[in-house]
């Protein structure tokens, strides 16, 4: 058998601040261009 090296880095979740204006723009974009994915 051969040994296959695994990833040497850890995957972790890093929180970052979300700008409410960015959320508003994203939802408006989805509403206009991707009705199938817009489920709010």
């Amino acid at each position: 058998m051969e040994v296959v090296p695994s990833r040497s880095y850890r995957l972790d979740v890093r929180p970052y601040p979300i700008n409410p204006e960015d959320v508003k723009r994203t939802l408006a974009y989805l509403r206009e261009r991707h009705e199938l994915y817009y489920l709010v």
Side-chain angles (χ1 to χ4, degrees):
M1 291 181 76
E2 285 186 41
V3 175
V4 178
S6 64
R7 285 189 275 227
S8 61
Y9 58 89
R10 253 182 67 208
L11 295 176
D12 59 340
V13 178
R14 295 181 185 155
Y16 58 92
I18 298 174
N19 184 352
E21 282 300 313
D22 290 341
V23 174
K24 187 176 176 181
R25 263 187 277 140
T26 300
L27 293 176
Y29 180 89
L30 289 174
R31 188 183 315 118
E32 293 170 8
R33 294 177 178 83
H34 299 283
E35 291 179 14
L36 180 64
Y37 302 115
Y38 180 72
L39 301 174
V40 176

Short mmCIF file of all heavy atoms in Angstrom, two decimals:
data_model
loop_
_atom_site.label_atom_id
_atom_site.label_comp_id
_atom_site.label_asym_id
_atom_site.label_seq_id
_atom_site.Cartn_x
_atom_site.Cartn_y
_atom_site.Cartn_z
N MET A 1 0.83 -1.20 0.00
CA MET A 1 0.00 0.00 0.00
C MET A 1 0.87 1.25 0.00
O MET A 1 1.95 1.25 0.54
CB MET A 1 -0.88 0.04 1.25
CG MET A 1 -1.97 -1.00 1.28
SD MET A 1 -2.97 -0.86 2.76
CE MET A 1 -3.94 0.56 2.37
N GLU A 2 0.35 2.29 -0.59
CA GLU A 2 1.04 3.57 -0.57
C GLU A 2 0.36 4.50 0.42
O GLU A 2 -0.84 4.43 0.63
CB GLU A 2 0.99 4.23 -1.95
CG GLU A 2 1.91 3.61 -2.96
CD GLU A 2 1.93 4.40 -4.25
OE1 GLU A 2 1.93 5.64 -4.18
OE2 GLU A 2 1.93 3.77 -5.31
N VAL A 3 1.14 5.36 0.99
CA VAL A 3 0.59 6.36 1.91
C VAL A 3 0.34 7.63 1.13
O VAL A 3 1.23 8.15 0.46
CB VAL A 3 1.57 6.62 3.07
CG1 VAL A 3 1.04 7.74 3.95
CG2 VAL A 3 1.81 5.35 3.87
N VAL A 4 -0.90 8.12 1.20
CA VAL A 4 -1.26 9.36 0.51
C VAL A 4 -1.30 10.47 1.55
O VAL A 4 -2.03 10.37 2.54
CB VAL A 4 -2.64 9.23 -0.18
CG1 VAL A 4 -3.02 10.53 -0.85
CG2 VAL A 4 -2.62 8.07 -1.16
N PRO A 5 -0.49 11.49 1.38
CA PRO A 5 -0.48 12.56 2.38
C PRO A 5 -1.81 13.32 2.40
O PRO A 5 -2.44 13.52 1.36
CB PRO A 5 0.66 13.49 1.93
CG PRO A 5 0.86 13.18 0.50
CD PRO A 5 0.43 11.76 0.28
N SER A 6 -2.21 13.68 3.58
CA SER A 6 -3.44 14.45 3.71
C SER A 6 -3.11 15.94 3.73
O SER A 6 -1.95 16.34 3.69
CB SER A 6 -4.18 14.07 4.99
OG SER A 6 -3.38 14.42 6.11
N ARG A 7 -4.16 16.74 3.83
CA ARG A 7 -3.93 18.18 3.90
C ARG A 7 -3.17 18.53 5.16
O ARG A 7 -3.46 18.01 6.23
CB ARG A 7 -5.26 18.92 3.91
CG ARG A 7 -5.94 18.95 2.58
CD ARG A 7 -7.11 19.88 2.68
NE ARG A 7 -8.24 19.12 3.19
CZ ARG A 7 -9.45 19.15 2.69
NH1 ARG A 7 -9.72 19.93 1.69
NH2 ARG A 7 -10.40 18.43 3.19
N SER A 8 -2.24 19.43 5.02
CA SER A 8 -1.45 19.83 6.19
C SER A 8 -2.01 21.06 6.88
O SER A 8 -1.49 21.49 7.89
CB SER A 8 0.00 20.09 5.76
OG SER A 8 0.03 21.15 4.82
N TYR A 9 -3.07 21.63 6.34
CA TYR A 9 -3.66 22.81 6.97
C TYR A 9 -5.04 22.45 7.54
O TYR A 9 -5.69 21.54 7.08
CB TYR A 9 -3.78 23.96 5.97
CG TYR A 9 -4.61 23.63 4.74
CD1 TYR A 9 -5.98 23.84 4.73
CD2 TYR A 9 -4.02 23.11 3.60
CE1 TYR A 9 -6.73 23.54 3.63
CE2 TYR A 9 -4.77 22.79 2.48
CZ TYR A 9 -6.13 23.02 2.51
OH TYR A 9 -6.89 22.71 1.41
N ARG A 10 -5.43 23.18 8.56
CA ARG A 10 -6.72 22.97 9.18
C ARG A 10 -7.77 23.86 8.55
O ARG A 10 -7.52 25.02 8.28
CB ARG A 10 -6.64 23.33 10.67
CG ARG A 10 -6.65 22.13 11.57
CD ARG A 10 -6.62 22.52 13.02
NE ARG A 10 -7.86 23.20 13.39
CZ ARG A 10 -7.95 24.11 14.34
NH1 ARG A 10 -6.90 24.45 15.03
NH2 ARG A 10 -9.09 24.66 14.63
N LEU A 11 -8.94 23.32 8.33
CA LEU A 11 -10.05 24.13 7.85
C LEU A 11 -10.79 24.68 9.05
O LEU A 11 -11.21 23.92 9.93
CB LEU A 11 -11.00 23.28 7.00
CG LEU A 11 -10.44 22.74 5.70
CD1 LEU A 11 -11.48 21.85 5.04
CD2 LEU A 11 -10.07 23.87 4.77
N ASP A 12 -10.94 25.99 9.11
CA ASP A 12 -11.68 26.58 10.21
C ASP A 12 -12.56 27.71 9.69
O ASP A 12 -12.33 28.25 8.61
CB ASP A 12 -10.76 27.09 11.32
CG ASP A 12 -9.78 28.15 10.84
OD1 ASP A 12 -9.54 28.23 9.62
OD2 ASP A 12 -9.25 28.89 11.67
N VAL A 13 -13.57 28.03 10.44
CA VAL A 13 -14.51 29.07 10.06
C VAL A 13 -14.10 30.35 10.76
O VAL A 13 -13.91 30.37 11.97
CB VAL A 13 -15.95 28.68 10.46
CG1 VAL A 13 -16.92 29.78 10.12
CG2 VAL A 13 -16.34 27.38 9.80
N ARG A 14 -13.98 31.39 9.98
CA ARG A 14 -13.60 32.68 10.55
C ARG A 14 -14.74 33.66 10.34
O ARG A 14 -15.09 33.98 9.20
CB ARG A 14 -12.35 33.21 9.87
CG ARG A 14 -11.14 32.36 10.14
CD ARG A 14 -9.91 32.93 9.49
NE ARG A 14 -8.81 32.00 9.69
CZ ARG A 14 -7.78 31.92 8.91
NH1 ARG A 14 -7.67 32.72 7.88
NH2 ARG A 14 -6.82 31.06 9.16
N PRO A 15 -15.32 34.13 11.41
CA PRO A 15 -16.42 35.10 11.26
C PRO A 15 -15.90 36.46 10.80
O PRO A 15 -14.78 36.86 11.15
CB PRO A 15 -17.01 35.19 12.67
CG PRO A 15 -15.89 34.82 13.57
CD PRO A 15 -15.04 33.83 12.80
N TYR A 16 -16.69 37.14 10.01
CA TYR A 16 -16.33 38.48 9.59
C TYR A 16 -17.61 39.32 9.54
O TYR A 16 -18.70 38.78 9.35
CB TYR A 16 -15.61 38.50 8.24
CG TYR A 16 -16.39 37.88 7.11
CD1 TYR A 16 -17.21 38.67 6.30
CD2 TYR A 16 -16.32 36.53 6.84
CE1 TYR A 16 -17.93 38.12 5.26
CE2 TYR A 16 -17.03 35.97 5.80
CZ TYR A 16 -17.83 36.77 5.02
OH TYR A 16 -18.55 36.22 4.00
N PRO A 17 -17.49 40.61 9.75
CA PRO A 17 -18.69 41.45 9.79
C PRO A 17 -19.37 41.52 8.42
O PRO A 17 -18.70 41.56 7.38
CB PRO A 17 -18.17 42.83 10.21
CG PRO A 17 -16.71 42.80 9.93
CD PRO A 17 -16.27 41.37 10.01
N ILE A 18 -20.69 41.51 8.43
CA ILE A 18 -21.46 41.60 7.20
C ILE A 18 -22.16 42.96 7.17
O ILE A 18 -22.84 43.35 8.11
CB ILE A 18 -22.52 40.48 7.14
CG1 ILE A 18 -21.81 39.13 7.13
CG2 ILE A 18 -23.40 40.64 5.92
CD1 ILE A 18 -22.74 37.96 7.22
N ASN A 19 -21.95 43.65 6.08
CA ASN A 19 -22.55 44.97 5.91
C ASN A 19 -24.01 44.80 5.46
O ASN A 19 -24.27 44.14 4.46
CB ASN A 19 -21.74 45.73 4.84
CG ASN A 19 -22.22 47.13 4.64
OD1 ASN A 19 -23.25 47.54 5.18
ND2 ASN A 19 -21.49 47.89 3.85
N PRO A 20 -24.97 45.39 6.19
CA PRO A 20 -26.38 45.26 5.79
C PRO A 20 -26.66 45.76 4.37
O PRO A 20 -27.53 45.23 3.68
CB PRO A 20 -27.13 46.11 6.82
CG PRO A 20 -26.22 46.15 8.00
CD PRO A 20 -24.82 46.11 7.45
N GLU A 21 -25.92 46.75 3.91
CA GLU A 21 -26.11 47.24 2.54
C GLU A 21 -25.71 46.18 1.51
O GLU A 21 -26.34 46.07 0.47
CB GLU A 21 -25.30 48.52 2.32
CG GLU A 21 -25.94 49.75 2.92
CD GLU A 21 -27.32 50.03 2.33
OE1 GLU A 21 -27.48 49.99 1.09
OE2 GLU A 21 -28.25 50.28 3.11
N ASP A 22 -24.67 45.40 1.81
CA ASP A 22 -24.26 44.32 0.91
C ASP A 22 -25.36 43.26 0.82
O ASP A 22 -25.62 42.73 -0.26
CB ASP A 22 -22.96 43.69 1.38
CG ASP A 22 -21.76 44.60 1.20
OD1 ASP A 22 -21.87 45.56 0.39
OD2 ASP A 22 -20.73 44.36 1.84
N VAL A 23 -25.98 42.95 1.95
CA VAL A 23 -27.07 41.97 1.95
C VAL A 23 -28.23 42.49 1.10
O VAL A 23 -28.80 41.77 0.29
CB VAL A 23 -27.54 41.68 3.39
CG1 VAL A 23 -28.76 40.78 3.39
CG2 VAL A 23 -26.42 41.06 4.20
N LYS A 24 -28.55 43.76 1.27
CA LYS A 24 -29.65 44.37 0.50
C LYS A 24 -29.36 44.32 -1.00
O LYS A 24 -30.23 43.95 -1.79
CB LYS A 24 -29.81 45.82 0.96
CG LYS A 24 -30.99 46.53 0.39
CD LYS A 24 -31.11 47.93 0.99
CE LYS A 24 -32.23 48.70 0.35
NZ LYS A 24 -32.34 50.04 0.90
N ARG A 25 -28.12 44.65 -1.38
CA ARG A 25 -27.74 44.61 -2.80
C ARG A 25 -27.77 43.19 -3.35
O ARG A 25 -28.21 42.96 -4.48
CB ARG A 25 -26.34 45.20 -2.99
CG ARG A 25 -26.38 46.66 -3.41
CD ARG A 25 -25.02 47.17 -3.75
NE ARG A 25 -24.42 47.55 -2.46
CZ ARG A 25 -23.17 47.36 -2.11
NH1 ARG A 25 -22.33 46.80 -2.93
NH2 ARG A 25 -22.73 47.72 -0.93
N THR A 26 -27.32 42.23 -2.55
CA THR A 26 -27.32 40.83 -3.00
C THR A 26 -28.74 40.34 -3.23
O THR A 26 -29.04 39.70 -4.25
CB THR A 26 -26.63 39.94 -1.96
OG1 THR A 26 -25.28 40.39 -1.79
CG2 THR A 26 -26.63 38.49 -2.39
N LEU A 27 -29.65 40.63 -2.30
CA LEU A 27 -31.04 40.20 -2.46
C LEU A 27 -31.71 40.88 -3.65
O LEU A 27 -32.49 40.26 -4.37
CB LEU A 27 -31.82 40.45 -1.18
CG LEU A 27 -31.38 39.59 0.01
CD1 LEU A 27 -32.16 40.00 1.26
CD2 LEU A 27 -31.55 38.12 -0.28
N ALA A 28 -31.40 42.14 -3.88
CA ALA A 28 -31.96 42.84 -5.04
C ALA A 28 -31.44 42.22 -6.33
O ALA A 28 -32.20 42.05 -7.29
CB ALA A 28 -31.60 44.33 -4.98
N TYR A 29 -30.17 41.87 -6.37
CA TYR A 29 -29.58 41.22 -7.55
C TYR A 29 -30.28 39.88 -7.82
O TYR A 29 -30.64 39.58 -8.95
CB TYR A 29 -28.08 41.01 -7.32
CG TYR A 29 -27.38 40.35 -8.48
CD1 TYR A 29 -26.85 41.11 -9.51
CD2 TYR A 29 -27.26 38.97 -8.55
CE1 TYR A 29 -26.20 40.50 -10.58
CE2 TYR A 29 -26.62 38.36 -9.61
CZ TYR A 29 -26.09 39.13 -10.62
OH TYR A 29 -25.46 38.53 -11.68
N LEU A 30 -30.46 39.10 -6.77
CA LEU A 30 -31.12 37.80 -6.94
C LEU A 30 -32.57 37.97 -7.39
O LEU A 30 -33.06 37.21 -8.22
CB LEU A 30 -31.08 37.01 -5.63
CG LEU A 30 -29.70 36.48 -5.23
CD1 LEU A 30 -29.78 35.85 -3.85
CD2 LEU A 30 -29.18 35.49 -6.24
N ARG A 31 -33.26 38.95 -6.84
CA ARG A 31 -34.65 39.17 -7.21
C ARG A 31 -34.77 39.52 -8.69
O ARG A 31 -35.67 39.05 -9.38
CB ARG A 31 -35.24 40.31 -6.37
CG ARG A 31 -36.73 40.48 -6.54
CD ARG A 31 -37.31 41.64 -5.76
NE ARG A 31 -36.83 41.72 -4.39
CZ ARG A 31 -36.13 42.77 -3.90
NH1 ARG A 31 -35.84 43.79 -4.66
NH2 ARG A 31 -35.76 42.77 -2.64
N GLU A 32 -33.85 40.32 -9.20
CA GLU A 32 -33.91 40.76 -10.59
C GLU A 32 -33.43 39.70 -11.58
O GLU A 32 -33.98 39.57 -12.66
CB GLU A 32 -33.07 42.02 -10.77
CG GLU A 32 -33.61 43.23 -10.04
CD GLU A 32 -32.63 44.39 -10.04
OE1 GLU A 32 -31.59 44.30 -10.76
OE2 GLU A 32 -32.88 45.37 -9.33
N ARG A 33 -32.40 38.95 -11.22
CA ARG A 33 -31.74 38.10 -12.21
C ARG A 33 -31.91 36.60 -12.00
O ARG A 33 -31.73 35.83 -12.92
CB ARG A 33 -30.25 38.42 -12.22
CG ARG A 33 -29.99 39.83 -12.73
CD ARG A 33 -28.51 40.16 -12.66
NE ARG A 33 -28.22 41.48 -13.17
CZ ARG A 33 -28.34 42.59 -12.46
NH1 ARG A 33 -28.74 42.55 -11.23
NH2 ARG A 33 -28.06 43.76 -13.00
N HIS A 34 -32.25 36.18 -10.78
CA HIS A 34 -32.34 34.74 -10.50
C HIS A 34 -33.58 34.46 -9.66
O HIS A 34 -33.47 34.11 -8.48
CB HIS A 34 -31.08 34.26 -9.76
CG HIS A 34 -29.83 34.45 -10.54
ND1 HIS A 34 -29.47 33.63 -11.58
CD2 HIS A 34 -28.85 35.38 -10.44
CE1 HIS A 34 -28.32 34.04 -12.08
NE2 HIS A 34 -27.92 35.09 -11.42
N GLU A 35 -34.73 34.55 -10.25
CA GLU A 35 -35.97 34.35 -9.51
C GLU A 35 -36.06 32.96 -8.91
O GLU A 35 -36.64 32.78 -7.84
CB GLU A 35 -37.18 34.61 -10.41
CG GLU A 35 -37.34 36.05 -10.81
CD GLU A 35 -38.53 36.27 -11.72
OE1 GLU A 35 -39.38 35.36 -11.81
OE2 GLU A 35 -38.62 37.34 -12.33
N LEU A 36 -35.46 31.98 -9.57
CA LEU A 36 -35.50 30.62 -9.08
C LEU A 36 -34.80 30.49 -7.73
O LEU A 36 -35.23 29.73 -6.86
CB LEU A 36 -34.83 29.69 -10.09
CG LEU A 36 -34.78 28.21 -9.74
CD1 LEU A 36 -36.19 27.64 -9.66
CD2 LEU A 36 -33.96 27.46 -10.76
N TYR A 37 -33.72 31.26 -7.51
CA TYR A 37 -32.95 31.16 -6.29
C TYR A 37 -33.38 32.17 -5.24
O TYR A 37 -32.90 32.12 -4.11
CB TYR A 37 -31.46 31.36 -6.59
CG TYR A 37 -30.94 30.36 -7.58
CD1 TYR A 37 -30.48 30.76 -8.82
CD2 TYR A 37 -30.92 29.01 -7.28
CE1 TYR A 37 -30.03 29.84 -9.76
CE2 TYR A 37 -30.47 28.09 -8.21
CZ TYR A 37 -30.02 28.51 -9.43
OH TYR A 37 -29.56 27.61 -10.35
N TYR A 38 -34.24 33.07 -5.57
CA TYR A 38 -34.65 34.11 -4.63
C TYR A 38 -35.83 33.59 -3.82
O TYR A 38 -36.94 33.51 -4.31
CB TYR A 38 -35.03 35.38 -5.39
CG TYR A 38 -35.46 36.52 -4.49
CD1 TYR A 38 -34.54 37.19 -3.72
CD2 TYR A 38 -36.78 36.89 -4.43
CE1 TYR A 38 -34.93 38.23 -2.88
CE2 TYR A 38 -37.19 37.93 -3.60
CZ TYR A 38 -36.26 38.58 -2.84
OH TYR A 38 -36.66 39.59 -2.01
N LEU A 39 -35.61 33.20 -2.60
CA LEU A 39 -36.66 32.63 -1.76
C LEU A 39 -36.78 33.35 -0.43
O LEU A 39 -36.62 32.77 0.63
CB LEU A 39 -36.35 31.14 -1.49
CG LEU A 39 -36.24 30.24 -2.71
CD1 LEU A 39 -35.78 28.85 -2.28
CD2 LEU A 39 -37.56 30.15 -3.43
N VAL A 40 -37.05 34.62 -0.48
CA VAL A 40 -37.19 35.38 0.77
C VAL A 40 -38.63 35.84 0.90
O VAL A 40 -39.23 36.29 -0.02
CB VAL A 40 -36.22 36.57 0.79
CG1 VAL A 40 -36.44 37.41 2.04
CG2 VAL A 40 -34.79 36.07 0.75
#
